[in-house]
Amino acid sequence: MMSEDVRELIIIGGGPAGYTAAIYAARAELKPLVIAGYEAGGQLMLTNEVENFPGFPTGIMGPELMERMRRQAERFGAEIQNFNATKVDFSKRPFKIETDWGEYYAKAVIIATGASAKWLGLENEQRLIGRGVSSCATCDGAFFKDKKVAVVGGGDSAMEDALFLTRYASSVTVIHRRDQLRASKIMQQRAFANDKINFIWNSVVVDVLGKDKVEGIKIKNVKTGEESILEIDGLFIAIGHKPNTELFKGWIEMNEIGYIIPKKYTMTNVEGVFAAGDVADPRYRQAITAAGMGAQAAIDAERWLAEQEHNEKQ
Ligand code: NAP
């Protein structure tokens, strides 16, 4: 392998963490390659308005925020590619990353592959995805004009989805497995204040009904065991996320759910491989915290690379 084939830094993932890492690394003249994936932009591409990212006092649309981050990274020389990493080899340096478009080698890697929506795991839920079942209210909400929909979950995502869906749907029923929401106070207040939103507490969805499209759901009250049917046209699942770490299993140390456990600042158990954003953060999972971790990982990678270079010259 020619030394010019080996990049200083490859960033896997094109969400707030990956793009922010790219901005920092590009400004440090590491000429990073960002393997951003076919779903470049990450979860913010599926959100509507972002109100809590500092610097945008009147809010900004999620996809626009990501487009701006991407342009900012490119301005300083980051190369951003929308293909997927398919396999990694972290057994020796330079690290090898296989993609749909060939192999790449790098002295350092930042993993910023984020997290994806979780499903309930019901057979009929999976069968009816795209036919009334969705995990993305902002993507699919408009299909439910004057229809009845339900949202499963009690966190901020569920409230955000429920509120968004009131723009189209005639009624939105939130189904939560406890009698208290996990969502932040402001989101709870907004949801409680909205006439179109009603709540079914202490309940779980046990089946999704309908042959070719969703016609209803079977709900079970977890306190009484009582089952009932709710007629709806759309079911939105908003029960949290799981980290996208399949690719790194066997190489990188993770917790039992699959979140990467950093060892030293943002560095993982593999020296020279760093992690940033939702992929290593089961706690905060905000765009701004992911971006912050991206900056940290880029700084850590830059310092580590400088150390390696220094040691090689000794
Ligand atoms: P989350 O906070 O983990 O909430 C997931 C919800 O789904 C919880 O209410 C949980 O119930 C429920 N749930 C989990 N598994 C379930 C299952 N198998 N069946 C039924 N219900 C289930 O996830 P999130 O709402 O996606 O939020 C993730 C993070 O992003 C949070 O830090 C949140 O603050 C942030 N976020 C912020 C905003 C905003 O600020 N506007 C918007 C979206 C997300 P329990 O409560 O019983 O555990």
Side-chain angles (χ1 to χ4, degrees), residues 133-186:
V133 175
S134 168
S135 68
C136 179
T138 44
C139 316
D140 300 328
F143 299 125
F144 297 90
K145 195 157 168 42
D146 300 325
K147 302 250 160 95
K148 289 183 189 161
V149 300
V151 176
V152 183
D156 277 328
S157 297
M159 295 311 107
E160 196 171 68
D161 286 1
L163 286 160
F164 181 78
L165 288 164
T166 60
R167 295 185 191 188
Y168 308 101
S170 55
S171 77
V172 180
T173 305
V174 174
I175 298 155
H176 184 36
R177 63 183 178 183
R178 292 187 295 133
D179 62 358
Q180 267 188 341
L181 296 174
R182 179 180 293 278
S184 55
K185 284 282 170 288
I186 186 169

Side-chain angles (χ1 to χ4, degrees), residues 43 47 49-52 117-121 152-161 175-184 186-187 190 203-205 237-241 278 282-287:
Q43 290 176 61
T47 63
E49 196 161 357
V50 181
E51 291 181 330
N52 51 11
K118 282 201 298 199
W119 297 99
L120 295 173
V152 183
D156 277 328
S157 297
M159 295 311 107
E160 196 171 68
D161 286 1
I175 298 155
H176 184 36
R177 63 183 178 183
R178 292 187 295 133
D179 62 358
Q180 267 188 341
L181 296 174
R182 179 180 293 278
S184 55
I186 186 169
M187 297 301 278
R190 283 185 197 168
S203 297
V204 292
V205 176
I237 311 296
I239 59 169
H241 296 84
D278 284 13
R283 187 177 172 85
Y284 303 105
R285 293 173 293 170
Q286 306 294 306

Side-chain angles (χ1 to χ4, degrees), residues 176-248:
H176 184 36
R177 63 183 178 183
R178 292 187 295 133
D179 62 358
Q180 267 188 341
L181 296 174
R182 179 180 293 278
S184 55
K185 284 282 170 288
I186 186 169
M187 297 301 278
Q188 293 196 22
Q189 283 161 5
R190 283 185 197 168
F192 289 143
N194 194 306
D195 288 343
K196 278 191 179 176
I197 301 178
N198 52 75
F199 290 83
I200 297 181
W201 303 104
N202 298 314
S203 297
V204 292
V205 176
V206 289
D207 201 2
V208 187
L209 312 173
K211 194 164 169 283
D212 302 317
K213 61 180 177 56
V214 171
E215 286 165 9
I217 45 177
K218 193 190 271 185
I219 298 167
K220 182 176 173 186
N221 184 306
V222 292
K223 288 257 156 90
T224 63
E226 200 180 310
E227 290 191 343
S228 58
I229 304 260
L230 180 71
E231 282 182 20
I232 50 162
D233 308 287
L235 178 65
F236 289 84
I237 311 296
I239 59 169
H241 296 84
K242 61 169 179 5
N244 297 323
T245 48
E246 267 314 303
L247 198 58
F248 310 106

